[in-house]
Amino acid sequence: MKWTPTVNAALCNGCNRCVEVCDSGTLTLRNGVALVAWPDSCQSDAECVRVCPQQAMRMEWMAMDGDRTRGKWVIGGRAWPGRVRGCRQLRVG
Ligand code: SF4
């Protein structure tokens, strides 16, 4: 499981701050709402969570595969999804 951000779409106002602060290019804006589009590239540094003025982002352990040299990983733990209502997380490209 990887430590990655999730977005509460009901709280997001589309300000783009999270996208701008993310050095790894994990996030994008789609239809005016932040989207975790490329979780593989996430460095798990939670900068996006810190800059969000809406408290729309939080870090979650998400079940996924990928490059384990990037970001924080654990084996086992609590399964995702289920705890964040309105969460938008999608891998594209
Ligand atoms: S910083 Fe917060 S409110 Fe702004 S686009 Fe990102 S998730 Fe939405």
Side-chain angles (χ1 to χ4, degrees):
M1 303 184 83
K2 186 174 182 181
W3 191 234
T4 61
T6 59
V7 182
N8 186 328
L11 296 177
C12 177
N13 67 8
C15 72
N16 206 44
R17 289 184 195 175
C18 56
V19 178
E20 292 170 353
V21 78
C22 180
D23 291 335
S24 59
T26 299
L27 305 166
T28 189
L29 220 62
R30 183 174 293 173
N31 299 323
V33 178
L35 178 70
V36 185
W38 298 280
D40 281 344
S41 65
C42 180
Q43 303 281 8
S44 305
D45 58 17
E47 280 300 309
C48 52
V49 174
R50 281 187 272 280
V51 301
C52 178
Q54 296 289 109
Q55 288 78 51
M57 305 199 78
R58 59 185 289 178
M59 299 300 286
E60 295 279 333
W61 289 110
M62 194 181 90
M64 61 178 286
D65 292 321
D67 180 358
R68 296 191 183 187
T69 65
R70 285 175 175 258
K72 298 175 185 170
W73 292 82
V74 293
I75 297 173
R78 206 168 355 178
W80 183 95
R83 289 195 290 141
V84 182
R85 290 184 62 127
C87 173
R88 290 165 57 95
Q89 188 154 28
L90 175 68
R91 190 184 315 193
V92 296

